[in-house]
Amino acid sequence: QVQLVESGGGSVQAGGSLRLSCAAGHIYNTNYMAWFRQAPGKEREGVAVIYTGSSTTDYADSVKGRFTISQDNAKNTVYLQMNSLKPEDTAMYYCAAGLLSFIGIWYQPRNFNYWGQGTQVSVSA
């Protein structure tokens, strides 16, 4: 049973924008949703997180000021608006959901127990 479904990836030129969506199905006992990314040969890294109770957010330093995470509770959907994209943003992007004790540990993939299948983002110079 698919629980998180990402969409919105694609190929853009540097400086362009994309908006990723993550539709949540039957997920339980979670309080944070996040976006991670993984480039070939690299570890999965946290990009952005949102606390679903208050919409508190946090971002990786590499995307601050360029990416925005948001949620639409009525649609059970989390978004990642990506502006001013750079070639180094090229990666597979994954949506994740988990139950965290505090926001400070959000960047660790092991703290999330629900994952989507990923959507590819490619940025050309």
Side-chain angles (χ1 to χ4, degrees):
Q1 187 175 6
V2 178
Q3 292 145 330
L4 296 175
V5 180
E6 303 100 332
S7 61
S11 297
V12 297
Q13 290 188 328
S17 298
L18 284 172
R19 188 177 82 154
L20 306 183
S21 299
C22 173
H26 298 287
I27 61 173
Y28 303 95
N29 199 28
T30 63
N31 58 358
Y32 286 88
M33 292 192 70
W35 287 95
F36 287 79
R37 66 186 181 187
Q38 188 167 18
K42 294 188 177 181
E43 293 186 353
R44 190 167 297 191
E45 63 172 351
V47 175
V49 67
I50 188 165
Y51 175 53
T52 57
S54 68
S55 295
T56 299
T57 61
D58 197 13
Y59 299 89
D61 288 343
S62 59
V63 306
K64 281 181 180 176
R66 300 189 298 123
F67 291 11
T68 303
I69 188 171
S70 62
Q71 61 179 350
D72 184 334
N73 290 333
K75 297 181 178 180
N76 287 332
T77 300
V78 171
Y79 303 97
L80 184 68
Q81 178 66 44
M82 305 186 295
N83 298 329
S84 302
L85 282 161
K86 303 175 181 180
E88 51 263 45
D89 295 318
T90 295
M92 185 72 78
Y93 283 70
Y94 298 91
C95 178
L99 180 66
L100 279 64
S101 55
F102 69 107
I103 198 170
I105 58 174
W106 74 269
Y107 56 91
Q108 298 170 347
R110 66 174 182 265
N111 291 315
F112 293 82
N113 52 325
Y114 292 99
W115 290 88
Q117 81 287 353
T119 186
Q120 178 68 38
V121 172
S122 299
V123 185
S124 58

